[in-house]
Amino acid sequence: MMAALPPLLRLGLTPPPRRWNAPDRVNAARGVGERLGSLLENLAGTARRRAPNLPFPPSRGEEGTGAAGAIREPQAWIDTVDPRHLVELWRNWEMVMGPELAPLAFPLGRRKNLLIVGGEDNMALQELSFQTPEILERVNAFMDAPLDDPVFVRVELRLLMGMRPLSLPPESTTRVRERPAPPADLGAYFSSMRPDSPVARSYAACLRSHGLLDGGSV
């Protein structure tokens, strides 16, 4: 079996002598560089001949100029819907959906041009899956959107799972705090206080607030 050739011999290059001076070293390095450069050019030409229809990527300065094969950034989605119009849609949802769809479809929100609609159970979601074109038509008509540029283009169906629909009025966050019951011995020590003292007057005001003392007393 023939022994494996050294790397330089496999490339068709003659290895330098074991002992060489500085000029020989420079000449050898120059020859190796020229030969490798020619090999790389041959490889590039072979790749172009094998794939003639594949365009090479444009240079960094040509991107975005509209030339063939230029890489363009995708256009960002721009929200042009008035939020107040959306609020009116949620408030009038039952009227927009009509008596047949309103008991089944509940608005949960939107994501860009996607309308999110909820249902109480899987049977309701299955029924709504056949009504999504009508839901889109009714909602876009209420939003006064043109046919070629609708506000919503798709409906996503979800189970309510305890989520509160936007068509319902918001829950009140104000809590009424119940007044605690007065202590059982409140007012027991009022008779032993000096009527003209500030403490007695404050204590009397507290008793009057609980209805345990007449307004005319102290």
Side-chain angles (χ1 to χ4, degrees), residues 58-66 70-71:
S59 60
R60 185 168 300 178
E62 296 177 355
E63 293 182 0
T65 59
I71 302 175

Side-chain angles (χ1 to χ4, degrees), residues 11-14 30-40:
L11 294 176
L13 303 177
T14 304
R30 185 179 302 167
V32 171
E34 292 177 355
R35 189 62 182 274
L36 289 177
S38 62
L39 288 175
L40 293 177

Side-chain angles (χ1 to χ4, degrees), residues 169-192:
E171 295 180 345
S172 177
T173 57
T174 304
R175 296 183 180 180
V176 179
R177 186 176 179 180
E178 297 182 358
R179 189 172 186 178
D185 57 348
L186 183 64
Y189 304 99
F190 180 67
S191 59
S192 61

Side-chain angles (χ1 to χ4, degrees), residues 15-55:
R18 294 182 177 276
R19 294 182 181 180
W20 50 6
N21 50 22
D24 293 338
R25 186 179 304 171
V26 173
N27 294 332
R30 185 179 302 167
V32 171
E34 292 177 355
R35 189 62 182 274
L36 289 177
S38 62
L39 288 175
L40 293 177
E41 290 180 0
N42 293 335
L43 291 175
T46 304
R48 292 191 184 96
R49 288 192 299 272
R50 290 181 178 178
N53 297 326
L54 296 179

Side-chain angles (χ1 to χ4, degrees), residues 104-125:
L104 300 176
F106 300 92
L108 297 179
R110 69 150 184 161
R111 185 171 64 250
K112 295 184 178 181
N113 52 9
L114 175 70
L115 178 64
I116 305 175
V117 177
E120 292 182 348
D121 50 30
N122 291 324
M123 294 294 293
L125 294 184

